[in-house]
Coordinates of all heavy atoms in Angstrom, one line a residue:
S2 N -31.1 -25.4 -8.2 CA -30.0 -26.1 -8.9 C -28.9 -26.5 -7.9 O -28.7 -25.9 -7.0 CB -29.3 -25.2 -10.0 OG -27.9 -24.9 -9.7
T20 N -14.8 -14.6 4.0 CA -15.1 -14.3 2.5 C -13.8 -13.8 1.9 O -13.3 -14.2 0.8 CB -16.2 -13.4 2.3 OG1 -17.4 -13.8 3.0 CG2 -16.6 -13.2 0.9
G36 N -2.9 -17.4 -15.1 CA -2.1 -16.3 -15.0 C -2.7 -15.1 -14.6 O -2.2 -14.3 -13.8
E37 N -4.0 -14.8 -15.0 CA -4.7 -13.7 -14.5 C -6.0 -14.1 -13.9 O -6.5 -15.2 -14.0 CB -5.0 -12.7 -15.6 CG -5.7 -13.1 -16.7 CD -5.9 -11.9 -17.8 OE1 -6.7 -11.2 -17.5 OE2 -5.2 -12.1 -18.9
V47 N -21.0 -5.6 3.8 CA -20.3 -6.9 3.8 C -19.1 -7.0 2.7 O -17.9 -7.2 2.8 CB -21.0 -8.2 3.8 CG1 -20.0 -9.4 3.9 CG2 -22.1 -8.2 4.8
F71 N -10.3 -5.9 -12.2 CA -11.5 -5.6 -11.3 C -12.5 -4.9 -12.1 O -12.3 -4.0 -12.9 CB -11.0 -4.6 -10.3 CG -10.0 -5.3 -9.3 CD1 -8.6 -5.1 -9.6 CD2 -10.4 -5.9 -8.2 CE1 -7.6 -5.6 -8.6 CE2 -9.5 -6.5 -7.3 CZ -8.0 -6.3 -7.6
S83 N -17.4 11.7 -4.3 CA -18.4 11.3 -3.3 C -18.1 10.0 -2.6 O -17.8 9.0 -3.1 CB -19.8 11.2 -4.0 OG -20.6 10.6 -3.1
D85 N -20.1 8.2 -1.6 CA -21.1 7.2 -1.9 C -20.7 6.2 -3.0 O -21.3 5.2 -3.3 CB -22.4 7.7 -2.4 CG -23.4 8.1 -1.4 OD1 -23.3 7.5 -0.3 OD2 -24.3 8.8 -1.6
L89 N -14.7 4.1 -4.9 CA -13.9 4.9 -4.0 C -13.8 4.1 -2.7 O -12.8 3.9 -2.1 CB -14.7 6.2 -3.7 CG -13.7 7.2 -3.2 CD1 -12.7 7.7 -4.3 CD2 -14.6 8.5 -2.9
L96 N -7.9 -1.4 -2.9 CA -7.2 -1.3 -4.1 C -6.2 -0.2 -4.0 O -5.1 -0.3 -4.8 CB -8.1 -0.8 -5.3 CG -9.4 -1.7 -5.5 CD1 -10.4 -1.3 -6.7 CD2 -8.9 -3.1 -5.8
H98 N -4.3 -0.1 -1.5 CA -3.2 -0.7 -0.6 C -2.4 -2.0 -1.3 O -1.6 -2.4 -0.7 CB -3.9 -1.1 0.7 CG -4.8 -0.1 1.3 ND1 -4.2 1.0 1.9 CD2 -6.0 0.2 1.3 CE1 -5.2 1.8 2.3 NE2 -6.4 1.2 2.0
P103 N -3.6 -0.1 -12.7 CA -4.7 0.7 -13.0 C -5.4 0.5 -14.2 O -6.7 0.7 -14.3 CB -4.1 2.1 -12.9 CG -2.7 2.0 -12.4 CD -2.3 0.6 -12.6
A111 N -18.5 8.5 -13.2 CA -19.1 9.3 -12.1 C -20.0 10.4 -12.9 O -19.7 10.7 -14.1 CB -18.0 10.0 -11.3
E120 N -24.7 8.0 -21.0 CA -23.3 8.0 -21.5 C -22.5 7.0 -20.5 O -21.6 6.3 -21.0 CB -22.7 9.4 -21.5 CG -21.4 9.3 -22.3 CD -20.8 10.8 -22.4 OE1 -21.4 11.7 -22.6 OE2 -19.4 10.8 -22.2
W137 N -10.9 -12.7 -26.2 CA -11.4 -13.6 -27.5 C -10.2 -13.7 -28.4 O -9.9 -14.8 -28.9 CB -12.5 -13.0 -28.1 CG -13.1 -13.7 -29.3 CD1 -13.8 -14.9 -29.2 CD2 -13.0 -13.4 -30.6 NE1 -14.2 -15.2 -30.4 CE2 -13.6 -14.3 -31.3 CE3 -12.4 -12.3 -31.3 CZ2 -13.8 -14.3 -32.8 CZ3 -12.5 -12.3 -32.8 CH2 -13.1 -13.3 -33.4
L156 N -17.9 -13.3 -8.9 CA -18.6 -12.0 -8.9 C -19.4 -11.9 -7.6 O -20.1 -12.9 -7.1 CB -19.7 -12.1 -10.1 CG -20.5 -11.0 -10.1 CD1 -20.9 -10.6 -11.7 CD2 -21.9 -11.0 -9.4
L157 N -18.9 -10.9 -6.7 CA -19.4 -10.7 -5.4 C -20.8 -9.9 -5.5 O -20.9 -8.9 -6.3 CB -18.4 -9.9 -4.6 CG -17.2 -10.7 -4.2 CD1 -16.2 -9.7 -3.8 CD2 -17.5 -11.6 -2.9
G159 N -23.8 -8.0 -2.9 CA -24.5 -7.8 -1.6 C -25.9 -8.0 -1.9 O -26.3 -8.2 -3.0
W211 N -20.9 -15.1 -5.6 CA -20.8 -15.2 -4.1 C -21.8 -14.1 -3.5 O -21.5 -12.9 -3.7 CB -19.6 -15.0 -3.5 CG -18.5 -15.9 -4.0 CD1 -18.5 -17.0 -4.9 CD2 -17.2 -15.9 -3.5 NE1 -17.4 -17.6 -5.0 CE2 -16.5 -17.1 -4.3 CE3 -16.3 -15.1 -2.6 CZ2 -15.1 -17.4 -4.0 CZ3 -15.0 -15.5 -2.5 CH2 -14.4 -16.6 -3.2
G216 N -27.1 -9.8 8.9 CA -28.0 -8.9 9.6 C -29.5 -9.4 9.5 O -29.9 -10.0 8.4
A217 N -30.3 -9.2 10.6 CA -31.6 -9.7 10.7 C -32.6 -9.0 9.5 O -33.4 -9.7 9.0 CB -32.3 -9.5 12.0
A220 N -32.9 -11.3 6.4 CA -33.4 -12.6 6.6 C -34.5 -13.0 5.6 O -34.6 -13.9 5.1 CB -33.9 -12.9 8.0
S238 N -32.9 -14.0 -6.2 CA -33.2 -15.4 -6.5 C -32.8 -15.6 -8.0 O -32.6 -16.9 -8.3 CB -34.8 -15.5 -6.3 OG -35.4 -16.5 -7.1
I243 N -22.2 -19.8 -13.4 CA -22.1 -21.0 -14.2 C -21.7 -22.3 -13.4 O -22.2 -23.3 -13.6 CB -21.2 -20.7 -15.3 CG1 -21.7 -19.7 -16.3 CG2 -20.7 -22.0 -16.1 CD1 -21.0 -19.2 -17.4

Side-chain angles (χ1 to χ4, degrees):
S2 124
T20 307
E37 59 178 288
V47 185
F71 295 94
S83 161
D85 268 346
L89 200 67
L96 305 182
H98 308 288
E120 194 177 321
W137 181 75
L156 184 144
L157 288 159
W211 300 3
S238 157
I243 289 177

